[in-house]
């Protein structure tokens, strides 16, 4: 429900009162569970963040850099499909991306994802290709022309793009 409000009004434009009204509860009831709107945002992002943590854990288990990169690409493709609705709403809002960037735990997680995708390549071009892949990863999720893509088509497109850029 909060995700829908965030989609329509943005995180900054959605108040706790809006969330309470949509849930059919009092604002006090919302405060009982969440101290601030940012806590609701954190709860909304939690499944996707947990999935990213799992991707990092699984990829680290591979012995070669290429295998770690391949597993990370596949994990991100699966994650994008599985949590498509969360990312498609929240990544349109710059306050969400800022929140993700400024949280030390999220920053560490994203640093690890970058390292896994870059592999053993320390070159600037590897960093550029990784940044291109990661920023391009969200494109189909927020582009209305891709809304009708099946999960299989979305996953296949992300895999192909990731492999071409990073392997």
């Amino acid at each position: 429900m909060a995700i829908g409000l965030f989609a329509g009004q943005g995180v900054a434009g959605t108040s706790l009162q809006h969330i309470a009204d949509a849930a059919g509860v009092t604002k006090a009831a919302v405060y009982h569970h969440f101290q601030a709107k940012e806590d609701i945002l954190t709860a909304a992002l939690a499944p996707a963040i947990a999935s990213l943590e799992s991707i990092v854990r699984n990829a680290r288990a591979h012995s070669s850099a290429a295998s770690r990169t391949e597993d990370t690409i596949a994990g991100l493709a699966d994650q994008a499909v599985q949590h498509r609705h969360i990312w498609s709403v929240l990544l349109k809002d710059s306050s969400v991306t800022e929140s993700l960037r400024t949280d030390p735990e999220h920053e560490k997680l994203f640093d690890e994802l970058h390292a896994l995708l870059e592999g053993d390549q320390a070159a600037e071009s590897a960093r550029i290709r990784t940044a291109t892949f990661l920023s391009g990863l969200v494109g189909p999720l927020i582009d209305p022309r891709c809304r009708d893509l099946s999960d299989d088509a979305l996953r296949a497109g992300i895999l192909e793009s990731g492999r071409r850029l990073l392997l």
Side-chain angles (χ1 to χ4, degrees):
M1 166 224 11
I3 298 256
L5 291 171
F6 293 155
Q9 302 167 185
V11 174
T14 303
S15 69
L16 286 176
Q17 187 63 57
H18 291 132
I19 293 168
D21 292 345
V25 299
T26 66
K27 190 172 173 182
V30 174
Y31 272 119
H32 179 72
H33 295 285
F34 302 98
Q35 293 182 355
K37 182 172 44 177
E38 290 72 28
D39 297 330
I40 297 170
L41 177 60
T42 298
L45 288 172
I49 296 298
S51 179
L52 291 175
E53 290 167 344
S54 177
I55 290 166
V56 167
R57 242 186 341 273
N58 292 338
R60 276 196 222 127
H62 294 278
S63 58
S64 75
S67 294
R68 288 189 297 273
T69 300
E70 172 68 31
D71 195 62
T72 303
I73 293 167
L76 288 171
D78 291 340
Q79 198 262 9
V81 170
Q82 181 182 5
H83 298 294
R84 184 181 203 170
H85 65 287
I86 294 173
W87 292 120
S88 68
V89 169
L90 297 176
L91 289 175
K92 291 179 188 176
D93 192 316
S94 62
S95 64
V96 175
T97 53
E98 185 61 25
S99 173
L100 289 171
R101 276 193 214 119
T102 58
D103 179 283
E105 288 299 314
H106 292 145
E107 183 179 15
K108 180 181 174 194
L109 176 63
F110 289 112
D111 285 348
E112 289 182 72
L113 278 171
H114 276 261
L116 288 165
L117 290 169
E118 290 168 18
D120 291 338
Q121 306 172 43
E124 290 175 346
S125 64
R127 290 194 338 244
I128 292 167
R129 288 192 313 274
T130 297
T132 301
F133 172 69
L134 289 172
S135 55
L137 184 64
V138 301
L141 304 178
I142 61 175
D143 187 332
R145 293 169 295 200
C146 294
R147 208 172 285 143
D148 65 336
L149 291 176
S150 71
D151 289 351
D152 289 341
L154 178 61
R155 184 180 191 284
I158 292 170
L159 284 171
E160 179 185 359
S161 298
R163 289 173 178 146
R164 284 182 181 216
L165 278 167
L166 301 170
L167 294 175

